[in-house]
Structure formats: C-alpha cells, structure tokens
Amino acid sequence: MPSVLRNEDLKEMLESSKESLKLEAMKRIVGLIAKGKSASELFPAVVKNVASKNIELKKLVYVYLVRYAEEQQDLALLSISTFQRALKDPNQFIRASALRVLSSIRVPIIVPIMMLAIKEAAADLSPYVRKTSAHAIQKLYSLDPDQKEQLIEVIEKLLKDKSTLVAGSVVMAFEEVCPDRIDLIHKNYRKLCNLLVDVEEWGQVVIISMLTRYARTQFTSPWMEVRFDENKAFYDSDSEEKKDQTEAKPYVMDPDHRLLLRNTKPLLQSRNTAVVMAVAQLYWHLAPKHEVSIVTKSLVRLLRSHREVQYIVLQNIATMSIQRKGMFEPFIKSFYVRSTDATHIKTLKLEILTNLANEANISTILREFQTYVKSQDKAFAAATIQAIGRCATNISEVTDTCLNGLVLLLSNRDEAVVAESIVVIKKLLQTQPTQHGDIIKHMAKLFDNVTVPMARASILWLMGEYCEKVPKIAPDVLRKMAKTFTAEEDIVKLQTVNLAAKLYLTNSKQTKLLTQYILNLGKYDQNYDIRDRTRFIRQLIVPNEKSGALSKYARRILLAPKPAPVLESAFKDRDRYQLGTLSHSLNLKATGYQELPDWPAVAPDQSVRNVEIVEPQRIKADLFWVSNVHCPCVCTESGSESEEESSEDSEKTSSDSGKSSSGSEKSSSESESDQKKKKKTKKAQQKKNKPAADRYAEIPAVSGFGSFLPKLEFITIMISFFYDFFFFCQHCLFPQNDSKNPTFRTSGISLFHMSFQVTTSSFGPLKTYELLHHMTGKGLSAKYHFPRQPCLYQPSMVAVQLFFSQTKQISHPKCVSGSDNKKRLEPGASVTVSMGIDFSDSTQAANFQLCTKEDQFSVSIQPAVGELLMPSTMTEQDFCKEQGELLCDSNSVSRNETRCLTHRMFLLSCRFGGRTVSSRALVLLSLELSESSGALLTINTEKSVMASMLLRDLKQALAQA
C-alpha cells in the first residue's frame, strides 16, 4: 500500500506545472531504479515530460526511458518523433541520450530510423555523441543482423576517429559485429597503440584484447629459438657442397610488434585490475619468454585487492606457474596462506606453492604445509595433503619424507585428514610398492577405525593389489568385510568383490568359501553395478562349462601390473584458453569465446599498416631582401629596379672617374644607358598592371650581407591580415636588435626584438559594417560589428553588436526572433543591441528581418572567417604538439619540421592558435619570414573547409593591396 501511495504522489508531481516539482519527482524515480525497485507504472507520466525544455529534467527522463523502453515499447514508440528532434539538440548530452533511448527500443519497425540516427551521430562534432553511436551499433546489430554491412561502414569510419573517448567503444562494436575483419585494423593499428595510454580504462581492456588477437595473425612467433646447422662444414670446400641447405635466421621482432609491447607496458601501473590483467595476458601470449617476467610484480600487487580479484588473478598465476616457475619464485612468500583468506583463495595459493616447489625451496614449503594440515578448514587440510602427495611425486628427493609424514597423519583424530592421507598414500605406494610392506600392514590395523568410504575402499584396493605381500592379513580383512558387506557403501562393496576375487586366485584354500559367500550377497544387491560386477567375477574366476576360454586369463586380468598414477595440477591444460577470459576461469569454452590464432609461419606484409601523411596547406612567396640598408623607410616598387639603379650608379661613378676613355666609348655607354632606361620603364609598367598576389609570387630571393629588412609592403599586408581576421594568442620570434639600425614598428609588433615571449590575447581594431543604410531604412540606420568576445547566450554563437540610429521618431526596431519592446527611438537618438548567431563554422550570410511598427527590412550579416574563431592561449611546446597531431598520426614529422625551422635564421616568426566558436575545432597558423626560404604560411586545421576559407580571405587581402 505505501508503494502505491508513493507512486500516486510522484504522478501528481510529474503532472504539475512547476519544473522544480517535476525535477524532484524524477530524482526520486531514478533513485528507486538505482535501488532495484520497479518504477514501470510511472512510464506514461514520465513520457509526457520527454519534450521538456529543462535540460536537467530531460536528462533524467532519458535515463528512465533507457531502463524501461524495452518493456514499454508501445508507449516508447509514441515518442520517437521527440527523440528524432532531440538528435538535433545543441546540447551534446541530449543528443547522446536521445540516441541511447532510440537504440533501446527493440522494435524491428524502427530499424531504418535507428540506422539513420547512428550514421548521423557517427559524424557528430561531439566525441561523446560519436561514442554513443558506437554503443548503439551493437544494439542494432543484435536486433537486426541483416544490417551488418552498413554497420561495418560506420565502424570503419569511427575507427579513424582520433578521439580517445571513441576508441574503446568502436573497438567493442568491432568485436561484436565483425571481429574477423582484420583489414579494418591495419590503418588504425599504430594510432590505437599510441592512443592506448589515454583511453578510458574500460576501453583499454577491449583494445588490448583485440590487439592481442591481431598481433597473433600479423607477426611471427617471438618464441622461436635461433637454430644453427650442427653439420656445418669446417672447411670452406665442404661448405660449398652444402650451399643449398638453408640455415635458420635469428629472430628479428617487427617494429609494430615492439610498438604494441612498449605502449602497453606503462599500463601495468594502472589502478584498474582488469587493465593490468589484460596487459599480463598480452605479454604472456605475445612477448618473448625473457620479457614476460615484467608482469610479475604487477600481478603480485593485485593480490592485495578484494577476494574476487584475488581469485581471478590467482587462477591466471596458477596457469603461468606451471610453465614458467622462475617468474614467481622470488615472490613465493606472497602466496603463503593467511588465516583470513577464504577457502577458494587458500586452495589456489596452495596450488601455486605446489607448482613452484623444487629442490631448493621444498623444505620451506613442506614446513608451511605442516601448518596448513592443522587448519580447522577441513577442505583446505585435505587439499594440503594432496599437495604433499604431488610434491612427493614430482621431487624424488623428498618422496620418503612425505610418505613418512603422511603415515604419521594416520593417527590424527580428524577422520577427514586420515581418509585423505590414506588415499594419497595409496597413490604413492604404487610408485614404490616393494619397499613399503610395513605401511600396508599399518593401514590394515587402522581399517576398523576408518569410516570414510573412499579411505576404506583405498585400503581394500591395496590389500587386493599387494595380497601376496600380506598373505596373513588380507584374508582376515576379507572376513571382516563379509560381516558388514550389506551395510557398506557401494564403492566399498565393489572393492570388497575385487579383493575376494584376487584372494580366490592367490589363496583359494583360505578364502574360497568367503568368496562364494560375498558373491552370493552381491548377486542380490540393490545396486545394479554391484550385481553386474558379481556375475562377471563369478564367471571369470569359477570355471564351469559355460565360462568358456576367458577363465584361463583370470589371473592376467585381475592381477595385471598397473601403472602408477600421475599427480598433476588441475590447471595443466587451461593454457589452451586465453588468459583472463571466462573460458579460462571455467575451464570450458564459454559462449562468444574466440580462439587465439596460431602464429603465422611467415609474417604478412607490414606495409598494410602504413598511413599516408596528409600535408598541410601552405602559401609560399619568395621575398626580396635589401642588403646594406640602414633606413627602414626605404620601400621601392620592385627589387629589380633597385638593383639596376645601384648598378647604374656604380657604372656612372666608374665612367666619370676613368680619364683615359675615348669619345666613342662615351657615346656607346650613353646609348646603352638609354636602352636600359627603356627596359626599366617597360618592366615597371608590366609590374604595375599585375595584381599584388601575382607580383609577390614572382619576386626573386636575393641574398646579401649585413642586416636584412623584409619588404615593407608584404609585411604590412600579412600583419594587418592577421590582426584583422585572427585575434589569437601570438608567439613571435625576432632577430637580435642592431644598435646601428633604427627599430621599425608596425601594428604594434617590434620587428627587431630578440626575446621570445608568450603574450596574452591581442585584438585587432574592430571594423564596423553597415547593415541598413538610412536611405533604404527610411531614416533608420543600422550598423554592426563583432566584439570578439564570448557570446552570453550560448558558447557556440558568435557575438554581434547592432547600432541603431534614427533621424525621425519610430518604434524601437527589433529582429523577428527577438522579444517585443514598446519603446520608441527618438530622432537623433541611438541604441545598441547585442545578439548571438550560430554560423556553424561557415561564412554564409545569416538572413533575418528588422521590423518597425510600419516597415520590415530584410538584412544579412556575413562574417569574415576570422570572426568564427576564438583565441586559444598555449605555450610553444603545446603549439608544436598540436600542430604535429594535425599533420599526421605520428609526432615524428612534427618534431622534424620544428627542428628544421629552428636552424633557419628568422626575421619574423608568428604563431597563432585558436578554436572555432561553433564546433571548437582547432585552427593553427604559423608565418615564418626567413632569409633563405622567403615567407611560409602554414595552416593546420581539423576542418579542411576552414583552411580553404582562410586561403580565400588571404588571397583577397593580397589582391586588394
């Protein structure tokens, strides 16, 4: 009854008009779900709030729908249109939640909708949404496996994603949908290896497991031994005869194989147990034998964790310790049993100690076992006795010591200990039956006190097997068993029949009547196994007309020598399963288990993992350098002119100073000078008719001596372009200032200041644009500019300020999407209005209407590409790092390029870094002006469209110059 009343209260709160009450109700409902209580009755009331504008409330509603969408499919289908609208929501969490709910509605009819949503989400700008789309892939595949081909295309696209948030999820989807498509991993293998350290812990486990299988198919085995030809000839003449014989080459590890091992090694320090276990199994299955011991300390560290973790880790260590004892011998004390350990933990530690036992440490281990035998835990004490038996079998030096210790345990008061000791002694006696007749006699004396069926059966088996060694005791034991035959357990009865048959064959005079009596009792026993065994034994040992020829071989059959049992570890064959898997833990093949592939004999082509490097878009123009110039204000139209003028001046000087020149020579020099002047005038006219962009592209680079000054006009254009369009954090490096040369400044940048400094965001002058002319607007004038500040309404919007002025009295102007405002704009007055526009990283114009009481004016705002960006302050190291990541997946290219640039002599080096306002995509620009390579502008962006827009605006700036 109280739960019904509670549900009614929650329904009233959900149907309330107050958002606070709805939010409180949803918090309570989600709390009930977290406690495991059912809240399915509230589904209709919750679904009504799926279209709420409150983001927090909508998130909680989606959490509820994910839980109950599959149970209430009919009601959930009514809200599909709402989920589809939510997939376009500006909030990434709402988009992701909507996709999660949509994929949780397991109705085949909406499969096309789910597929479309997954494809759109896979291309979303938010990595969180792309991660959710990877999760949805698995749900859709389980609902409709026929969509596999389309889902593989989405997986292939998501595998190229560079976000660490997406990597683990898409690899999990790959494992579920198409684990055999190894070709999809080739191009992304190195990227996954490099991203592995930064991926979330759950994703690390999935990626490591996948890469383990991948490596087993692409690399050769590192366990191959280097083999040499033993028959190799000593003399050269003999070796010539064996040229055809192929020699084994030493193993050389593939660089990609080493990359995987190197990048997973740091994860052994992870706080997550599953990650450490995943790396341990990777090294076990992939690393060379001498490197596997790297994981030992990390596995031992996990033994301090919870008992659930200890159980799994100890299982894997037990498997490892069978093949490679040396890994864990230094840490043998870590496997000593504690009094607080659970029984299953104690048993596993005992297993490992037995595997690690050798001649050097067996004395220490046996002392530990002596303590364990006295444990109050009977199951653990019995397991300890079995471990002692295994040690005695494996190490011949301590066989007698262990056997004597077990005989002493026969006098223990605990029946379970005595019974287990008898069973183990029976197995040990089979290894050396001739030397231990006294032990068999001692066990026969204890027979009356032993009540455990398995122990009694073991003594009877020993008496029958070695009846000739105890000819007086065995018949007496059979006599005692004849009295209690009907009251014994089945296993004891079977061994009694066997003992009677063996004694009949070896000592028929004393045991003939006892044997017939026991066979008669067994003939009418309730257990059919005993009845069948009795009939078989009678026909075998008692010859008659119907027994046939088989009775002749009765002694060979019953008294045949039997091989000694081999005491082995229960974990001996578990290495056929991959370590850390459920199949390994259960020792049987679980559903969904994938066999670990065998190493290939020859490694496949490693070039399939090579990734093409995408070069950044560059603008390069050669500059003209003026040598030996002391006045920075000198600026000529072209470098060729200044060269010709200087050469003419030198010629004139030389001609004036030459006193021995003739008149003919003077006339010829004057004609030559006239021709040069004509050529100079013609070239100047051609240069003038060309656009600026073409002129700068044709300027040659001339090196000189002394101080160098870049061409002033080009510098002015480039710097003004940056300040007009890119208001980023700037990093500038300039050459040493020469005291003889004056310092020239343009746009606030010192061209001859040496110290490198990181400055705060620098903003260029704000340009004002005309939105509405007063003639067109009937007296209303509107202008706007971009304040270049974060928008107050939404971070993804670009802030815009509008300035209205009026020559006559009108009502306050407003946008069609704005709120009503009844104020009036008096003549000569002006007003400033702030607004935000989401341009979606595009320079397309935003069209809207300005409305007054009488008129409507259609206007548009088109931003420059620089207005779509916001500054991002970063250090030089961060800039180079980000630039390297945008260049290619490997950082080596970025480092090489940076090293190359530092060796040049820069006259000007500017670096600008920012992000787009809408999608937060990174944009990096660097401008280097050097004496050798001229001007080099490098643009690195996450969006190629942004790069093309930057190039377009720069060309326009050069053309307008």
Side-chain angles (χ1 to χ4, degrees), residues 692-944:
D694 295 338
R695 294 206 306 272
Y696 297 131
E698 292 183 0
I699 295 176
V702 180
S703 60
F705 300 93
S707 60
F708 297 92
L709 181 67
K711 186 168 182 180
L712 182 60
E713 186 177 1
F714 185 84
I715 290 293
T716 305
I717 294 172
M718 296 298 292
I719 297 300
S720 63
F721 173 77
F722 282 145
Y723 267 73
D724 282 345
F725 295 100
F726 307 106
F727 37 100
F728 307 124
C729 164
Q730 61 179 355
H731 303 168
C732 299
L733 179 65
F734 304 103
Q736 182 67 36
N737 185 16
D738 190 349
S739 59
K740 296 181 181 180
N741 298 331
T743 300
F744 176 73
R745 296 178 179 272
T746 176
S747 300
I749 295 184
S750 172
L751 292 182
F752 295 94
H753 182 64
M754 183 55 197
S755 62
F756 177 83
Q757 58 183 355
V758 179
T759 64
T760 57
S761 300
S762 301
F763 296 90
L766 299 179
K767 286 188 176 181
T768 301
Y769 305 90
E770 188 174 58
L771 183 65
L772 182 65
H773 194 268
H774 68 278
M775 296 295 292
T776 308
K778 301 179 180 179
L780 174 64
S781 175
K783 297 182 179 181
Y784 70 94
H785 77 259
F786 299 92
R788 296 177 176 175
Q789 296 176 355
C791 183
L792 299 175
Y793 307 107
Q794 194 167 331
S796 61
M797 290 184 174
V798 177
V800 182
Q801 282 190 345
L802 305 178
F803 304 92
F804 297 95
S805 59
Q806 181 60 30
T807 56
K808 64 179 182 177
Q809 188 179 40
I810 62 168
S811 60
H812 194 298
K814 65 183 182 71
C815 302
V816 294
S817 59
S819 59
D820 270 331
N821 196 330
K822 300 300 182 182
K823 294 182 180 180
R824 302 181 68 83
L825 191 62
E826 300 297 333
S830 62
V831 65
T832 302
V833 179
S834 297
M835 64 183 296
I837 303 175
D838 189 352
F839 289 99
S840 299
D841 295 345
S842 171
T843 54
Q844 292 184 358
N847 302 313
F848 56 95
Q849 289 183 334
L850 286 177
C851 303
T852 63
K853 188 175 181 180
E854 297 83 12
D855 301 296
Q856 294 182 356
F857 306 99
S858 297
V859 295
S860 63
I861 294 179
Q862 184 173 12
V865 63
E867 309 297 348
L868 306 177
L869 306 165
M870 286 298 289
S872 178
T873 304
M874 61 181 69
T875 63
E876 182 185 17
Q877 291 80 7
D878 292 339
F879 185 95
C880 295
K881 179 181 178 182
E882 295 290 345
Q883 191 178 38
E885 292 178 354
L886 292 178
L887 274 170
C888 60
D889 291 339
S890 175
N891 292 331
S892 60
V893 176
S894 175
R895 287 196 296 269
N896 293 337
E897 181 173 306
T898 304
R899 191 183 306 114
C900 177
L901 293 177
T902 54
H903 286 297
R904 303 176 190 170
M905 179 177 178
F906 289 114
L907 293 179
L908 178 65
S909 177
C910 299
R911 293 174 179 172
F912 302 86
R915 291 185 178 275
T916 60
V917 177
S918 180
S919 64
R920 300 297 177 185
L922 188 63
V923 180
L924 302 177
L925 293 93
S926 60
L927 171 65
E928 286 91 24
L929 302 178
S930 66
E931 107 180 55
S932 59
S933 59
L936 179 64
L937 173 65
T938 305
I939 303 174
N940 302 95
T941 70
E942 293 180 359
K943 302 181 69 173
S944 58

Side-chain angles (χ1 to χ4, degrees), residues 42-283:
L42 300 170
F43 195 92
V46 174
V47 171
K48 294 178 182 178
N49 297 283
V50 72
S52 174
K53 295 182 179 180
N54 189 315
I55 295 179
E56 295 299 324
L57 178 60
K58 183 177 287 190
K59 289 180 182 178
L60 294 175
V61 171
Y62 282 151
V63 170
Y64 177 89
L65 292 177
V66 169
R67 171 64 180 80
Y68 290 106
E70 190 170 353
E71 297 180 12
Q72 304 281 348
Q73 295 180 356
D74 294 338
L75 290 175
L77 285 173
L78 299 176
S79 306
I80 283 185
S81 59
T82 305
F83 301 145
Q84 289 179 291
R85 288 196 300 271
L87 291 172
K88 305 293 184 181
D89 194 276
N91 191 311
Q92 59 176 344
F93 297 105
I94 298 299
R95 298 198 300 272
S97 299
L99 180 59
R100 192 178 297 114
V101 176
L102 193 62
S103 59
S104 299
I105 305 175
R106 303 184 62 79
V107 180
I109 195 174
I110 66 168
V111 166
I113 299 176
M114 291 173 59
M115 177 58 72
L116 182 61
I118 289 174
K119 288 183 177 180
E120 291 181 354
D124 197 278
L125 296 177
S126 169
Y128 181 74
V129 179
R130 300 197 297 272
K131 173 189 176 74
T132 307
S133 70
H135 291 167
I137 289 174
Q138 307 170 51
K139 297 181 182 179
L140 180 56
Y141 179 70
S142 63
L143 178 62
D144 186 5
D146 294 337
Q147 304 294 325
K148 181 176 181 178
E149 294 302 324
Q150 297 186 52
L151 292 177
I152 290 177
E153 295 178 2
V154 180
I155 290 174
E156 184 177 5
K157 179 180 180 181
L158 289 175
L159 280 172
K160 299 176 182 177
D161 201 303
K162 296 182 179 180
S163 174
T164 56
L165 195 64
V166 183
S169 301
V170 67
V171 170
M172 188 63 202
F174 169 83
E175 290 285 81
E176 290 290 333
V177 178
C178 52
D180 55 333
R181 288 291 303 275
I182 297 295
D183 57 295
L184 300 180
I185 306 298
H186 290 324
K187 297 292 184 182
N188 304 286
Y189 171 81
R190 294 168 185 167
K191 181 194 71 175
L192 290 174
C193 290
N194 293 323
L195 291 180
L196 195 55
V197 179
D198 299 321
V199 176
E200 58 181 341
E201 295 169 343
W202 177 83
Q204 288 174 346
V205 176
V206 177
I207 294 174
I208 291 174
S209 178
M210 184 273 295
L211 292 180
T212 303
R213 291 192 305 103
Y214 177 86
R216 288 290 289 256
T217 62
Q218 300 300 312
F219 311 126
T220 56
S221 173
W223 308 330
M224 292 186 301
E225 300 292 338
V226 180
R227 297 187 302 273
F228 298 97
D229 188 4
E230 296 179 355
N231 300 323
K232 188 174 181 180
F234 184 79
Y235 298 102
D236 294 339
S237 58
D238 296 336
S239 62
E240 292 177 359
E241 298 176 0
K242 298 184 178 182
K243 285 183 179 180
D244 297 336
Q245 297 181 1
T246 58
E247 298 181 359
K249 297 182 179 179
Y251 171 76
V252 179
M253 181 174 286
D254 190 288
D256 288 329
H257 191 174
R258 176 58 61 189
L259 175 69
L260 177 59
L261 296 177
R262 183 173 62 250
N263 286 10
T264 52
K265 183 179 178 181
L267 297 182
L268 289 172
Q269 310 300 324
S270 174
R271 62 181 180 179
N272 189 292
T273 307
V275 175
V276 177
M277 194 64 246
V279 178
Q281 65 87 22
L282 181 139
Y283 265 79

Side-chain angles (χ1 to χ4, degrees), residues 295-350:
V295 307
T296 306
K297 288 185 179 180
S298 300
L299 291 176
V300 173
R301 172 174 62 87
L302 299 182
L303 298 180
R304 304 189 188 101
S305 186
H306 304 290
R307 61 177 56 180
E308 296 82 7
V309 174
Q310 291 183 45
Y311 180 71
I312 300 299
V313 174
L314 286 171
Q315 279 190 326
N316 289 274
I317 292 178
T319 303
M320 294 179 179
S321 60
I322 294 175
Q323 297 185 15
R324 300 175 190 173
K325 296 182 179 181
M327 286 178 58
F328 299 97
E329 281 183 12
F331 306 94
I332 193 170
K333 291 184 178 180
S334 300
F335 304 105
Y336 286 173
V337 175
R338 300 178 181 179
S339 58
T340 56
D341 289 337
T343 302
H344 59 282
I345 301 296
K346 293 178 181 178
T347 307
L348 284 172
K349 286 186 175 180
L350 195 65

